[in-house]
């Protein structure tokens, strides 16, 4: 680790390319000009983190070096991986219009917030600021894990889900198993005695299963439904590997009453996005398909 920032980190932040997904897109644009065979060869998230935090000894392999120099014309790869205390002039951009509290909210400037961009006291407060349509309408990938996943199954119309799937969007839904022990433990904790959560979860799974059955083969393969039977800890929604919504499940409280955190991927900020992205992936690997 270095006390002064790596020049590459400074330049990425200046251009607003510091999120992993954005970096990969810009990497591919440069690779296409240099050598199309290098497209898709971007570093892993962990590798990029090491690059930006001065943990790399020497320089990356030659393919990365060629692409990085194309991304930042006039800068050698050796310069990009040196530390700098020199102020880099801000890139000239047109003034941006005022933004709403929706998904395009700018990253919080307070360093102690890392990549957390918004916090809400309840799911209903979050839903008012972030309607399902604002998160999903243009999404190319949606990963959701939780209990009943009402935001996808009850707050977003079937025909919109079908439109997404037919247009190439990949959707992965991970439900708490309505036949498992963990959902019954959660019902007892929330004070339900009539299988409310079990019934609702089974209904939502059935709704998506029927939708999948109506799709053509290619579109149906993009809708993956899994269940897991573990103590429920979080409701997670991850959109396009860049926006993450996290809601913890509190003792003896309905999910709708729990606080909600909005996180936007910012590799340079050493934030929380990679943590919850990994939580989803680990849960998915342990789950079973419906």
């Amino acid at each position: 680790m270095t006390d002064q920032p790596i020049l590459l980190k400074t330049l990425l932040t200046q251009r607003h390319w510091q999120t992993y997904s954005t970096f990969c897109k810009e990497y591919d644009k440069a690779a296409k000009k240099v050598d199309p065979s290098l497209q898709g060869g971007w570093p892993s998230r962990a590798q990029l983190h090491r690059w930006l935090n001065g943990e790399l000894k020497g320089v990356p392999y030659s393919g990365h070096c060629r692409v990085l120099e194309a991304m930042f014309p006039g800068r050698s790869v050796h310069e990009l991986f040196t530390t700098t205390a020199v102020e880099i002039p801000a890139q000239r951009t047109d003034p941006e219009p005022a933004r709403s509290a929706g998904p395009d909210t700018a990253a919080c400037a307070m360093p102690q917030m890392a990549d957390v961009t918004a916090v809400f006291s309840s799911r209903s407060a979050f839903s008012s600021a972030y309607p399902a349509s604002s998160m999903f309408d243009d999404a190319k990938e949606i990963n959701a894990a939780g209990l009943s996943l009402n935001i996808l199954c009850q707050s977003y119309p079937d025909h919109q889900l079908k439109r997404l799937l037919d247009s190439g969007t990949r959707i992965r839904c991970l439900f708490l198993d309505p036949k498992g022990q963990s959902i019954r433990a959660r019902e007892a904790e929330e004070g339900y005695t009539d299988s409310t959560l079990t019934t609702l979860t089974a209904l939502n799974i059935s709704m998506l299963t029927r939708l999948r059955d109506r799709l053509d083969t290619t579109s149906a393969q993009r809708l993956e439904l899994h269940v897991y039977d573990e103590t429920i800890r979080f409701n997670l929604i991850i959109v396009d590997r860049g926006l993450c919504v996290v809601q913890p499940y509190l003792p003896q409280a309905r999910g709708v009453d729990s606080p909600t955190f909005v996180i936007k991927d910012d590799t340079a900020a050493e934030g929380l996005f990679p943590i919850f992205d990994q939580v989803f992936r680990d849960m998915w690997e342990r789950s079973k398909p419906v």
Side-chain angles (χ1 to χ4, degrees):
M1 295 289 287
T2 59
D3 294 330
Q4 297 295 339
I6 297 296
L7 178 59
L8 176 61
K9 182 175 183 177
T10 301
L11 294 173
L12 288 176
T13 303
Q14 178 193 89
R15 288 162 172 74
H16 307 294
W17 295 353
Q18 69 269 35
T19 68
Y20 183 65
S21 57
T22 301
F23 174 86
C24 292
K25 291 176 184 176
E26 296 300 328
Y27 185 102
D28 270 354
K29 288 180 185 177
K32 185 177 182 180
K33 298 176 183 176
V34 174
D35 182 348
S37 68
L38 296 173
Q39 288 181 271
W42 13 263
S44 67
R45 185 188 294 275
Q47 191 174 2
L48 179 59
H49 179 82
R50 290 193 294 271
W51 286 7
L52 301 184
N53 287 279
E55 299 172 12
L56 183 69
K57 295 180 179 179
V59 296
Y61 81 86
S62 60
H64 285 322
C65 292
R66 293 169 65 195
V67 175
L68 288 170
E69 289 180 349
M71 291 174 69
F72 303 99
R75 302 279 185 179
S76 72
V77 72
H78 292 282
E79 286 182 274
L80 294 173
F81 284 92
T82 57
T83 59
T84 177
V86 179
E87 184 177 352
I88 306 297
Q91 186 180 31
R92 296 178 64 88
T93 57
D94 294 331
E96 294 187 1
R99 297 182 177 184
S100 67
D104 290 331
T105 300
C108 181
M110 298 172 63
Q112 64 267 31
M113 293 292 287
D115 53 359
V116 177
T117 61
V119 179
F120 298 89
S121 60
S122 66
R123 183 183 297 171
S124 58
F126 161 77
S127 298
S128 296
Y130 286 74
S133 59
S134 69
M135 292 191 294
F136 303 144
D137 280 355
D138 299 315
K140 298 302 179 186
E141 180 180 277
I142 302 170
N143 293 325
L147 204 162
S148 303
L149 304 187
N150 287 329
I151 191 168
L152 269 173
C153 301
Q154 301 294 330
S155 301
Y156 200 68
D158 281 14
H159 72 273
Q160 288 289 74
L161 285 173
K162 182 178 185 303
R163 177 188 63 79
L164 288 176
L165 293 161
D166 286 340
S167 66
T169 302
R170 182 188 185 192
I171 302 177
R172 294 192 293 179
C173 296
L174 185 52
F175 295 90
L176 194 60
D177 191 346
K179 298 178 181 179
Q181 296 299 315
S182 297
I183 196 167
R184 281 184 264 283
R186 184 64 194 180
E187 284 182 326
E189 185 170 37
E190 292 190 24
Y192 290 113
T193 58
D194 55 358
S195 301
T196 296
L197 299 181
T198 300
T199 302
L200 177 59
T201 304
L203 176 65
N204 285 351
I205 292 174
S206 175
M207 185 274 287
L208 290 184
T209 302
R210 290 198 304 272
L211 172 63
R212 187 172 59 183
D213 290 343
R214 298 198 303 269
L215 299 171
D216 62 49
T217 303
T218 302
S219 296
Q221 290 174 344
R222 299 189 188 109
L223 177 58
E224 299 179 72
L225 310 177
H226 280 211
V227 294
Y228 68 105
D229 188 14
E230 303 174 12
T231 299
I232 189 165
R233 295 180 174 88
F234 301 106
N235 185 294
L236 299 174
I237 303 167
I238 302 173
V239 181
D240 290 339
R241 294 180 293 172
L243 174 70
C244 180
V245 180
V246 179
Q247 183 178 45
Y249 279 89
L250 303 180
Q252 300 177 336
R254 294 189 306 157
V256 72
D257 295 324
S258 296
T260 305
F261 304 87
V262 180
I263 301 168
K264 295 191 75 173
D265 182 23
D266 186 347
T267 305
E270 302 182 42
L272 302 180
F273 186 93
I275 295 173
F276 289 106
D277 185 50
Q278 186 66 50
V279 168
F280 176 86
R281 284 185 278 136
D282 288 347
M283 291 175 64
W284 188 262
E285 290 175 2
R286 297 193 298 268
S287 66
K288 60 182 181 181
V290 174

